[in-house]
């Protein structure tokens, strides 16, 4: 990879031909990938790219092409022109079944095509662009829309301010028009002013984005390659278009309003500039800002509550108390007998460490490595149609180490050995899917092939989330490692007292002492494997809250500026009211009430839009109603509170107008 070449080899041409050990493989470097190339990686930047023949062979030997249960193995293909996805899927399925039949003739343990019904599936190379885009992609799309809404709020705010400025210059504009300046030329001047403002704002925005992008990458994509905003041509082009669009949006309103000025009436009005009339355009822009602010704040509230739901969601195990330790052979050949001995020594070493309360050898780890095998259940026509069943395997203390609760029956223990009857523990979801309304204890499940020996269900555990937090059709079953036909790759789950991070170094040290040759061990908190799956909700909550607060501030500034301008224009009116006996409190209530009415209209309009858009937002929330009345109520209260605060200062100034000074000035 380009980045690895730069950091480890100084970017020199002498890298070609050098040797590099990657796990069990001694490889010769034959080239450097282009900068930014990541292949099929969806997280992080690969350090190196290997032929799959070398990698797979190093783990499974010469039989690797005939293993059909490798979920990580995918094939990249290019459809011929004119071939539809349906036709391509049909061809893939036919090829897959032909391959399966050839393997079945050599090894009937896989099950026949008619029983297993293997099929080919077609999907996009970049899942985020496909019809089944993941939650990260959907949240990213929503945040793009949020950024657009904030831009519209800012444009409405600036347009309102420019319109206020144009209204205060209406005698100047009328005089210039009377002296022969064309309306088109005047409109160009106003648009030029807004373009200069937008250009300055765009430049400042790019500088902030350069810092903000680095911050977001650190928080949510720490493994991705750094890319500067100021060095990316597409980002700069988009920023230029957004700046031009903002200039037009903010400049057209005052230009259009100024072009409609009544010269005779404006010039005749003199210094008093006629009777005050509130601009409907400015009022509409303020209501528009308030409505958009409601939409953003509702989205922020929903994402925050959704994130709280995720953090409080029971995954079926104790994430915050478990460490994951995995051995890397690094070229050391370990036969099955030695591998079992290594597992036992690692387990004993972990259990001897102060602060370790439980430890277990595990074949699969949540959100890291999972396996699935064919299941056959007497009386159930097609197990596959009942859900996706993932296999977990561990030593006797597996459930106690993970903190997984048993709901029925028992967990497997030291008595479940290779020569004893085969047993399994199923999750509550699996029991419900396969034996609805029946007792699952004692039921027979055949694993791997239809004529395999019965594995009896001895217990039901709570549901464990292994690959997805929101997949209602994903279920789990658990097997004792001692009854599996193949040895487990050396990896442990270790339960500790206190913060797992405090025990990482000590656990790595005692386990490393058991590693043969150049083999080494990695130790990480289990939470580090789970946390990336919370990224969509954390990102959505962070961006929605940040943009929602920004929109709220903009709306407050817009309301304050509108009321301040109105108060300045209505000084004569307030002076007359006070002279005729109105109290300062009545004047304040008049102004504050006007601000509340405007924001109230925006709250109603924005709430209605948020309710209408709720079904689209529901797909990216977690166990959270998009029409939560609590969120809508809090947002309405916040907006109305901001309206009161933005109205009070101008209202106090209006209530302290001196009637004699105001009337004498007229």
């Amino acid at each position: 990879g380009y980045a690895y070449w730069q950091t480890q080899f100084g970017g020199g041409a002498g890298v070609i031909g050098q040797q590099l050990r990657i796990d069990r493989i001694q490889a010769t470097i034959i080239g450097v990938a282009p900068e930014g190339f990541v292949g099929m990686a969806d997280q992080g930047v690969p350090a190196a790219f290997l032929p799959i023949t070398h990698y797979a062979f190093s783990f499974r030997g010469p039989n690797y092409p005939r293993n059909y249960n490798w979920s990580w193995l995918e094939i990249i293909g290019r459809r011929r022109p004119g071939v539809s996805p349906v036709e391509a899927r049909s061809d893939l399925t036919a090829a897959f079944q032909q391959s399966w039949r050839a393997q079945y003739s050599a090894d009937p343990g896989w099950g026949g095509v008619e029983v297993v019904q293997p099929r080919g599936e077609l999907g996009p190379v970049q899942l985020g662009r496909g019809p089944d885009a993941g939650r990260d992609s959907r949240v990213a799309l929503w945040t793009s829309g949020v950024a657009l809404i904030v831009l519209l709020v800012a444009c409405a705010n600036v347009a309102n301010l420019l319109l206020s400025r144009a209204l205060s210059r209406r005698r100047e504009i009328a005089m210039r028009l009377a002296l022969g300046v064309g309306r088109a030329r005047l409109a160009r001047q106003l648009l030029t002013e807004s373009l200069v403002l937008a250009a300055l704002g765009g430049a400042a925005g790019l500088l902030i984005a350069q810092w903000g992008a680095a911050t977001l990458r650190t928080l949510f994509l720490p493994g991705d390659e750094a890319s500067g905003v100021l060095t990316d041509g597409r980002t700069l082009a988009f920023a230029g278009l957004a700046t031009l669009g903002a200039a037009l949006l903010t400049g057209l309103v005052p230009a259009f309003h100024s072009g409609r000025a009544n010269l005779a009436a404006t010039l005749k009005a003199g210094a008093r500039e006629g009777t005050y009339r509130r601009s409907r355009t400015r009022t509409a822009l303020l209501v528009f800002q308030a409505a958009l602010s409601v939409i953003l704040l509702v989205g922020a509230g929903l994402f925050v509550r959704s994130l709280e739901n995720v953090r409080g969601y029971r995954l079926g195990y104790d994430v915050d108390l478990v460490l994951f330790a995995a051995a890397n052979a690094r070229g050391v050949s370990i036969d099955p007998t030695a591998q079992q001995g290594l597992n036992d020594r690692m387990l004993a070493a972990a259990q001897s460490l102060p602060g370790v309360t439980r430890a277990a050898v595990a074949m699969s780890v949540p959100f890291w490595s999972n396996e699935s095998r064919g299941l056959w259940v007497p009386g159930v026509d097609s197990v596959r149609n009942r859900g996706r069943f993932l296999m977990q395997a561990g030593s006797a203390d597996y459930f106690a180490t993970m903190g997984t609760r048993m709901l029925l029956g028992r967990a497997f223990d030291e008595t479940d050995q290779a020569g004893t009857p085969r047993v399994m523990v199923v999750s509550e979801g699996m029991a419900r899917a396969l034996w609805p309304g029946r007792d699952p204890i004692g039921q027979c499940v055949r694993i791997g092939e239809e004529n395999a020996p019965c594995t009896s269900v001895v217990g039901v555990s709570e549901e464990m989330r292994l690959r997805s937090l929101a997949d209602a059709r994903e279920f789990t079953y658990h097997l004792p490692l001692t009854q599996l036909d193949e040895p487990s790759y050396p990896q442990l789950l270790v339960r500790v007292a206190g913060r797992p991070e405090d025990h990482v170094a000590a656990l790595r040290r005692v386990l490393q002492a058991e590693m043969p040759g150049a083999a080494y061990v990695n130790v990480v908190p289990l939470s580090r494997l789970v946390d990336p799956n919370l990224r969509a909700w954390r990102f959505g909550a962070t961006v929605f809250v940040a943009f929602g607060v920004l929109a709220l501030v903009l709306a407050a500034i817009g309301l304050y500026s509108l009321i301040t301008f109105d108060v300045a224009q209505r000084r004569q009116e307030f002076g007359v009211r006070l002279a005729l006996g109105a109290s300062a409190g009545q004047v304040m209530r008049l102004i504050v009430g006007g601000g509340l009415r405007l924001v109230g209209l925006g709250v109603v309009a924005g709430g209605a839009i948020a309710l209408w858009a709720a079904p689209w937002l529901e797909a990216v929330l977690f166990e959270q109603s998009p029409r939560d009345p609590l969120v809508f109520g809090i947002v309405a209260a916040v907006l109305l509170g901001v309206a009161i605060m933005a109205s009070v200062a101008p209202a106090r100034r209006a209530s302290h107008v001196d009637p004699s000074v105001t009337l004498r000035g007229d």
Side-chain angles (χ1 to χ4, degrees):
Y2 182 88
Y4 192 77
W5 173 51
Q6 291 289 325
T7 57
Q8 300 298 318
F9 297 95
V15 67
I16 304 300
Q18 292 197 34
Q19 297 291 306
L20 191 66
R21 174 169 289 282
I22 303 174
D23 198 5
R24 306 178 184 183
I25 301 169
Q26 186 72 23
T28 301
I29 300 174
I30 60 172
V32 177
E35 183 177 7
F37 178 75
V38 298
M40 290 287 288
D42 57 358
Q43 292 184 5
V45 181
F49 301 86
L50 293 173
I52 198 169
T53 48
H54 294 170
Y55 177 81
F57 185 90
S58 71
F59 278 90
R60 297 288 178 136
N63 290 325
Y64 82 88
R66 293 185 287 277
N67 283 327
Y68 288 87
N69 59 342
W70 284 18
S71 59
W72 58 267
L73 186 60
E74 297 173 338
I75 296 175
I76 305 174
R78 183 186 294 273
R79 275 191 294 127
R80 289 180 179 174
V83 176
S84 70
V86 175
E87 292 173 322
R89 186 179 297 110
S90 176
D91 287 347
L92 285 173
T93 297
F96 192 14
Q97 291 182 351
Q98 181 179 350
S99 171
W100 193 283
R101 288 190 179 94
Q103 177 61 20
Y104 179 69
S105 63
D107 182 8
W110 284 98
V113 169
E114 293 73 16
V115 175
V116 181
Q117 297 179 350
R119 63 186 185 276
E121 293 290 348
L122 204 62
V125 172
Q126 292 181 307
L127 298 180
R129 296 185 178 183
D132 300 320
R135 184 172 281 103
D136 285 2
S137 299
R138 295 198 297 269
V139 170
L141 186 61
W142 270 97
T143 54
S144 301
V146 167
L148 178 60
I149 292 176
V150 174
L151 179 61
L152 291 176
V153 172
C155 288
N157 205 347
V158 175
N160 221 335
L161 295 174
L162 291 178
L163 185 55
S164 298
R165 185 168 179 267
L167 289 173
S168 65
R169 296 171 59 192
R170 57 181 178 267
R171 290 195 72 250
E172 171 203 337
I173 292 172
M175 183 66 72
R176 296 178 66 185
L177 290 172
L179 293 176
V181 175
R183 294 181 185 270
R185 180 178 177 183
L186 186 63
R188 286 198 299 272
Q189 176 188 336
L190 295 175
L191 284 174
T192 301
E193 292 175 358
S194 66
L195 183 60
V196 171
L197 284 175
L200 293 174
L206 283 173
L207 294 177
I208 296 173
Q210 177 76 9
W211 167 82
T215 302
L216 289 176
R217 187 182 302 110
T218 300
L219 291 175
F220 301 108
L221 300 170
D224 274 21
E225 188 176 24
S227 57
V229 170
L230 300 179
T231 57
D232 186 73
R234 294 174 299 178
T235 302
L236 294 176
F238 180 82
L241 291 174
T243 300
L244 180 60
L248 293 176
L249 286 173
T250 56
L252 285 176
V253 174
F256 177 75
H257 192 275
S258 300
R260 298 176 60 192
N262 188 325
L263 300 185
T266 304
L267 294 174
K268 192 183 300 180
R272 285 179 55 184
E273 297 190 2
T275 304
Y276 168 78
R277 289 186 303 169
R278 172 176 284 174
S279 168
R280 293 180 179 176
T281 304
R282 295 174 65 238
T283 301
L285 287 173
L286 181 61
V287 173
F288 179 66
Q289 289 183 66
L292 293 181
S293 300
V294 169
I295 296 172
L296 289 179
L297 290 174
V298 166
L302 292 174
F303 263 100
V304 168
R305 296 206 67 184
S306 189
L307 180 59
E308 291 177 351
N309 293 339
V310 171
R311 286 174 172 169
Y313 182 68
R314 173 72 181 169
L315 298 177
Y317 44 89
D318 298 330
V319 178
D320 298 327
L321 295 175
V322 179
L323 289 166
F324 167 51
N328 191 311
R330 201 177 187 183
V332 177
S333 178
I334 305 177
D335 61 60
T337 303
Q339 186 165 296
Q340 182 60 49
L342 177 59
N343 288 345
D344 295 339
R345 292 195 304 275
M346 290 176 63
L347 185 60
Q351 291 171 335
S352 67
L353 192 68
V356 171
T357 58
R358 298 275 186 172
V361 181
M363 185 174 184
S364 48
V365 178
F367 298 101
W368 176 258
S369 61
N370 294 286
E371 290 197 25
S372 59
R373 300 184 179 183
L375 300 179
W376 286 263
V377 177
V380 179
D381 291 337
S382 178
V383 174
R384 176 181 293 177
N385 294 335
R386 304 289 182 97
R388 284 178 288 276
F389 303 96
L390 300 180
M391 186 187 80
Q392 292 284 89
S395 58
D397 261 357
Y398 176 80
F399 292 100
T401 300
M402 294 294 284
T404 302
R405 297 190 292 261
M406 296 299 300
L407 306 180
L408 193 65
R410 69 173 180 89
F412 47 75
D413 53 32
E414 292 85 352
T415 64
D416 300 307
Q417 298 295 323
T420 62
R422 294 175 178 265
V423 298
M424 68 188 303
V425 174
V426 300
S427 68
E428 56 180 325
M430 181 172 177
R432 196 166 46 245
L434 296 181
W435 305 285
R438 298 162 58 192
D439 184 2
I441 302 299
Q443 298 288 347
C444 169
V445 179
R446 303 183 188 276
I447 302 173
E449 55 184 282
E450 192 172 9
N451 58 354
C454 266
T455 299
S456 298
V457 177
V458 296
V460 177
S461 68
E462 63 178 317
E463 198 66 63
M464 295 180 70
R465 289 294 162 204
L466 305 178
R467 292 194 308 186
S468 168
L469 297 180
D471 190 348
R473 287 176 50 81
E474 180 184 286
F475 309 120
T476 314
Y477 62 95
H478 310 269
L479 303 174
L481 273 176
T482 50
Q483 293 186 342
L484 288 183
D485 296 331
E486 69 259 25
S488 170
Y489 193 72
Q491 54 188 22
L492 299 181
L493 293 167
V494 180
R495 187 181 186 88
V496 297
R499 295 176 66 250
E501 293 80 1
D502 298 337
H503 299 272
V504 169
L507 181 60
R508 182 186 295 117
R509 186 168 53 253
V510 299
L511 293 181
Q512 184 61 48
E514 304 297 333
M515 294 297 104
Y520 64 95
V521 64
N522 284 325
V523 180
V524 296
L526 186 60
S527 58
R528 189 176 298 180
L529 306 181
V530 178
D531 281 350
N533 298 276
L534 312 182
R535 181 175 57 196
W537 293 288
R538 283 205 310 268
F539 180 71
T542 302
V543 173
F544 262 92
V545 168
F547 283 163
V549 171
L550 179 59
L552 185 64
V553 172
L554 291 174
I557 293 173
L559 179 62
Y560 176 82
S561 63
L562 175 66
I563 296 178
T564 300
F565 182 80
D566 286 353
V567 168
Q569 297 293 305
R570 299 170 66 186
R571 287 179 63 85
Q572 178 202 6
E573 173 196 337
F574 296 136
V576 171
R577 285 178 181 271
L578 292 169
L580 293 177
S583 66
Q586 288 175 324
V587 172
M588 286 191 66
R589 284 195 296 272
L590 175 67
I591 297 172
V592 173
L596 283 174
R597 281 192 295 274
L598 292 177
V599 173
L601 288 174
V603 168
V604 172
I609 296 173
L611 287 172
W612 171 77
W616 287 280
L617 187 61
E618 187 172 14
V620 293
L621 300 177
F622 185 82
E623 296 189 352
Q624 173 62 40
S625 169
R627 295 187 173 95
D628 189 338
L630 179 62
V631 172
F632 279 78
I634 291 175
V635 168
V638 168
L639 260 296
L640 294 176
V642 168
I644 293 174
M645 290 188 292
S647 307
V648 165
R652 286 177 59 85
R653 286 197 295 271
S655 67
H656 288 81
V657 168
D658 189 337
S660 61
V661 174
T662 304
L663 297 177
R664 190 181 302 122
D666 283 329

